[in-house]
Amino acid sequence: MNNTRYIFTVTTGRSGQETLANILNSSMENVYASFEAPNINTIFKGGLSNIEHKVRRKYIETHELLGRGKILKAYDNKDISFINDIASKRIKTINKRLVSENKSIYIDVSKYFARGLHVGFCNMLPQISIINLVRDPLTNMKSFINRQKNFILDNNLPDVSSNILQLDSSSMRKEELYLWVWCEIYLRFQYLKKKKCVNSYTEILTERLNDPDYLTESLRLIDLQYNPDSHTKQNFNTNTSKGYTATSVSSEDIDVFYRFMERVPSNLIKKIPYLVNYDPEIHMI
C-alpha cells in the first residue's frame, strides 16, 4: 500500500458531502470516495430496517468507527490511545476497500474527521491531504435546523477545553450552536493544515460544487486530476429531496448571526478568511 493516498474532508456537515463524493467518484480515475463511512446499507426493509440499522450501528459499523459517541468524549479527554485504536481499525477497513475497488486514492467525505478522528489518522498515517468543504454559515445553520438534528449526537458543546473557540453555551439558542460549530470547524482546518502529516490542502465552497472550472483548480491544489467532462450536475441529500422544508434564511436568522458574532473574539474572526468580508444580508436580496 506504499502508493496509497488518504484524503479527508474538514466540514460541519450539511455542506454537500454526498454530492462531492459522487462528483469525485464519477470524475476521477483511481479514486474511491466514501460518504460518511462506515455507512450502513440495510438488508431488511420497512420497520425491520430500522431495527437492523440500530443493531449494526451499535455492534458492527459503530458510532465510534463513524466518529461519534466515545470519540467525541475521547477527544475532549485527550484519550489519544482510544482514538488511535479506532483510527487503526478504520485504516484497515479503508485499505481493504481500496484493494477490492482496485483504487489507490481514498477520499473520506465526512464531517467526523475534524471532530476527533483526525488525531488518530495523523498519528497513524505519515501523510494526508485535506479538503475544507465550506457552506455559507447561515444556510448551513438553517439546513441543520430544518433537519431537526440532535446537536450533541455529532458535536461537543462550545464550553469544553478541547475547542479552539471556547464559549459559554448556557444561553445559546440551537441556531447559535450551529453557527459556533461552523466557526470551530473552520478554525480546526486552519490548525490542521499546518500539521506535519498534512502535505497538501484545498478549500471547496459548497455553492460552487457544480462549477467544473472551479473544481479543476481547487482539486489541482491537492494533486487530483479532475475530469469536468464526467461531471453530472446533481445535488444529493438535499432537504427538499428528503421531504424537509427548503433552506431559506429569514431576517430573524440574520439577527441571530449578528448577535452570535458579538460573542466571538476578534482575533479568532481574523483567522477565518470566509468571514472577513461576509455580509449575511445577501440572503435578503
Side-chain angles (χ1 to χ4, degrees):
M1 305 296 292
N2 290 337
N3 295 323
T4 303
R5 288 191 64 198
Y6 304 90
I7 302 171
F8 299 90
T9 52
V10 177
T11 188
T12 58
R14 304 301 313 139
S15 299
Q17 302 103 283
E18 189 171 356
T19 299
L20 176 60
N22 277 276
I23 289 171
L24 295 172
N25 282 322
S26 64
S27 305
M28 292 186 179
E29 296 181 0
N30 208 25
V31 163
Y32 177 75
S34 182
F35 168 55
E36 294 199 350
N39 41 36
I40 299 174
N41 296 311
T42 55
I43 298 171
F44 297 105
K45 304 299 179 185
L48 284 176
S49 70
N50 295 329
I51 297 172
E52 179 191 359
H53 189 281
K54 290 179 181 178
V55 170
R56 289 174 60 176
R57 185 58 81 197
K58 185 173 183 180
Y59 296 107
I60 304 172
E61 299 98 339
T62 65
H63 284 296
E64 287 68 43
L65 286 174
L66 182 64
R68 281 175 172 168
K70 293 179 182 178
I71 283 290
L72 294 173
K73 293 179 181 178
Y75 183 65
D76 291 344
N77 296 328
K78 297 181 173 58
D79 187 352
I80 307 304
S81 62
F82 179 80
I83 298 175
N84 284 346
D85 180 58
I86 298 299
S88 178
K89 291 176 181 177
R90 281 286 307 276
I91 291 167
K92 289 177 182 177
T93 302
I94 289 168
N95 289 341
K96 287 180 182 178
R97 176 52 66 96
L98 287 174
V99 170
S100 67
E101 298 284 341
N102 194 28
K103 310 284 188 182
S104 66
I105 302 173
Y106 176 81
I107 306 181
D108 186 72
V109 186
S110 170
K111 61 178 172 285
Y112 298 108
F113 169 75
R115 285 165 165 82
L117 283 174
H118 61 281
V119 175
F121 284 125
C122 278
N123 286 335
M124 300 286 109
L125 299 171
Q127 288 190 335
I128 65 172
S129 298
I130 56 175
I131 299 170
N132 191 32
L133 179 60
V134 186
R135 185 177 182 179
D136 172 277
L138 270 172
T139 57
N140 186 241
M141 172 271 284
K142 201 61 180 286
S143 183
F144 275 112
I145 296 298
N146 287 345
R147 285 287 178 109
Q148 301 177 354
K149 293 281 189 176
N150 179 355
F151 182 83
I152 61 172
L153 182 64
D154 296 332
N155 305 280
N156 55 25
L157 288 171
D159 315 70
V160 302
S161 60
S162 60
N163 294 322
I164 299 172
L165 175 57
Q166 296 176 40
L167 297 174
D168 179 4
S169 66
S170 60
S171 62
M172 280 190 186
R173 296 172 49 166
K174 196 171 184 180
E175 290 87 347
E176 291 179 285
L177 290 174
Y178 284 115
L179 291 171
W180 166 79
V181 81
W182 188 97
C183 293
E184 175 68 18
I185 293 300
Y186 204 110
L187 289 168
R188 290 191 192 186
F189 167 70
Q190 298 289 56
Y191 163 77
L192 281 166
K193 73 183 187 181
K194 299 174 184 177
K195 294 279 286 183
K196 184 178 180 180
C197 64
V198 176
N199 66 351
S200 62
Y201 59 86
T202 192
E203 180 171 286
I204 294 177
L205 303 180
T206 301
E207 293 80 5
R208 301 191 67 181
L209 277 173
N210 283 315
D211 181 339
D213 291 338
Y214 171 77
L215 283 181
T216 298
E217 182 59 24
S218 298
L219 292 168
R220 183 188 63 79
L221 295 176
I222 53 173
D223 197 27
L224 288 178
Q225 302 301 313
Y226 165 76
N227 179 9
D229 295 333
S230 301
H231 183 150
T232 301
K233 293 184 178 181
Q234 182 179 357
N235 295 324
F236 292 82
N237 196 26
T238 62
N239 279 344
T240 53
S241 72
K242 300 295 182 179
Y244 296 95
T245 304
T247 301
S248 61
V249 174
S250 68
S251 58
E252 182 182 358
D253 296 325
I254 294 174
D255 290 341
V256 170
F257 176 84
Y258 281 126
R259 288 198 301 272
F260 170 76
M261 291 307 297
E262 290 176 358
R263 298 175 179 258
V264 183
S266 59
N267 66 308
L268 291 182
I269 294 176
K270 291 177 182 177
K271 293 183 179 182
I272 305 177
Y274 192 105
L275 294 178
V276 172
N277 295 309
Y278 178 67
D279 179 7
E281 296 189 24
I282 60 173
H283 296 287
M284 300 307 295
I285 297 175

